Amino acid sequence: MHHTSGTGSTPQGCASRRGSSRGRIRSRSRATGYLLLLPYVIHFLAFMAFPLVFSFVLIFHRWDILSSMKWVGLGNVHRLFHDRLFFRALVNTGVFLLIHIPLQLVIALALAVFLNQKLRLRGFFRAVFFLPVVVSGVVTTMLWDSLYAQDTGILNNLLSSLGLGRLPWLTSPILAMPSIAIMATWKNVGLYIVLFLVGLQSVPHHLYEAADIEGASQWCKFRHITLPMINPTVVMVVILSTIGGFSLFIEPYIMTGGGPIRSTLSAVLYIYNQAFQFNHMGYAATLGFFFALIVFMVVLLQKRLVEQEIG
């Protein structure tokens, strides 16, 4: 009489062994998955979750890094709403956005339409327009700082050769922020050209062929076919430009230091100064959260307005 259990030689024993083997493989795969996720989890906890929670705690404290934190309750929030310089920085950032976003949107769309045509050296031109995007922001800013130089800059030398006067690009409170907006547009426009090109190439060609049969003009085709079809791309470009514009920091920090007469003091530069120049960490954290709330609300409102306008 054969013994039918515990030997592993019967069908039941083989099935049990296979099930056990699959279980080990599954456990090993799960452990490998967790191991691969570990670097991301550590990165998220160390550089995102912890700073966010710690910054929120700082809102209710006064802390200068060197000494221990002191509880101030809502003192930082009260200070924020009485800080005229911070609201001046918000207005400066708004001025930058009002110049930068329309300028960047129009130039990027126009160049994308141009580069979407069957041109010779099209790949070369696309690479040229995209090149500033991959150059370091610090290098780009220093380059434009030299271009804007009052006495030795290329732009003023060009104006002089045309018989025009030299312009105080970065030393005039009126011209300084538009000058920075022009530089930022040149730096980022290549990225948005690429996004628009993707949107343009997704428009069905038969729509243009039908419009040609109807005798529609180029502008009519652009207004009634191209623009509605690339609506999601326009919304995305406007939102990305807005978020990028709100984070204005490197340009005024290097080129003007927030001057002249604080006309280029952006909100992010002001928060940076409070944190690392004056060591007001608690107040800087309060400003940061308040500013993030403003950015979120503006982007949300902007998204709805742009969708309604184009759609």
Side-chain angles (χ1 to χ4, degrees):
M1 183 176 181
H2 295 288
H3 189 65
T4 58
S5 64
T7 62
S9 59
T10 63
Q12 291 84 357
C14 290
S16 173
R17 212 165 43 235
R18 281 198 297 272
S20 174
S21 176
R22 278 198 295 270
R24 281 198 300 273
I25 293 173
R26 232 180 268 124
S27 300
R28 202 172 299 160
S29 300
R30 198 178 295 122
T32 305
Y34 289 140
L35 195 62
L36 291 174
L37 279 175
L38 192 59
Y40 174 77
V41 173
I42 293 173
H43 178 271
F44 174 78
L45 292 175
F47 296 104
M48 297 182 73
F50 174 73
L52 189 64
V53 173
F54 187 63
S55 299
F56 186 74
V57 172
L58 281 179
I59 289 177
F60 307 101
H61 293 82
R62 183 185 297 124
W63 187 46
D64 62 1
I65 302 178
L66 302 175
S67 55
S68 59
M69 291 191 291
K70 294 180 181 176
W71 173 264
V72 294
L74 295 176
N76 287 323
V77 178
H78 181 268
R79 178 183 171 186
L80 183 154
F81 286 106
H82 293 80
D83 189 346
R84 293 183 179 180
L85 193 53
F86 176 61
F87 287 97
R88 169 74 185 277
L90 284 179
V91 171
N92 291 340
T93 306
V95 170
F96 173 79
L97 290 173
L98 288 175
I99 301 171
H100 175 61
I101 294 176
L103 192 64
Q104 186 157 258
L105 190 68
V106 171
I107 293 176
L109 184 55
L111 288 174
V113 171
F114 172 70
L115 292 174
N116 198 39
Q117 310 299 316
K118 293 179 180 177
L119 303 170
R120 296 182 66 182
L121 301 176
R122 185 170 61 176
F124 170 76
F125 286 120
R126 288 179 178 180
V128 167
F129 285 118
F130 190 74
L131 189 60
V133 177
V134 297
V135 178
S136 162
V138 175
V139 174
T140 304
T141 305
M142 293 177 71
L143 171 67
W144 275 82
D145 194 31
S146 64
L147 293 178
Y148 280 140
Q150 180 84 28
D151 298 323
T152 58
I154 292 176
L155 293 178
N156 274 341
N157 287 336
L158 184 63
L159 290 175
S160 296
S161 65
L162 295 174
L164 302 173
R166 293 175 177 271
L167 292 176
W169 298 100
L170 298 174
T171 53
S172 162
I174 298 174
L175 281 180
M177 189 57 90
S179 301
I180 289 177
I182 292 171
M183 193 229 84
T185 301
W186 176 86
K187 171 79 173 68
N188 300 314
V189 76
L191 174 64
Y192 301 113
I193 289 175
V194 172
L195 295 177
F196 276 129
L197 279 172
V198 173
L200 290 171
Q201 290 172 8
S202 67
V203 180
H205 198 67
H206 65 83
L207 296 178
Y208 293 119
E209 292 174 348
D212 287 336
I213 294 172
E214 295 291 330
S217 64
Q218 290 295 327
W219 169 250
C220 189
K221 286 189 286 186
F222 177 77
R223 175 69 185 85
H224 296 287
I225 297 176
T226 305
L227 213 49
M229 293 300 291
I230 63 170
N231 180 15
T233 308
V234 174
V235 173
M236 182 171 63
V237 167
V238 170
I239 290 174
L240 290 177
S241 298
T242 304
I243 295 172
F246 270 120
S247 62
L248 177 68
F249 171 72
I250 294 177
E251 294 85 353
Y253 180 76
I254 294 177
M255 299 173 87
T256 61
I261 320 178
R262 294 167 177 168
S263 61
T264 59
L265 180 67
S266 68
V268 176
L269 179 57
Y270 183 71
I271 294 170
Y272 171 85
N273 288 341
Q274 288 295 328
F276 299 105
Q277 186 176 355
F278 306 120
N279 288 341
H280 297 161
M281 290 297 172
Y283 185 51
T286 308
L287 293 174
F289 272 92
F290 183 72
F291 186 58
L293 181 63
I294 292 175
V295 173
F296 175 75
M297 292 174 65
V298 169
V299 168
L300 194 63
L301 179 65
Q302 197 178 42
K303 179 175 179 295
R304 292 185 176 177
L305 289 176
V306 173
E307 283 177 339
Q308 289 175 359
E309 184 70 22
I310 297 179

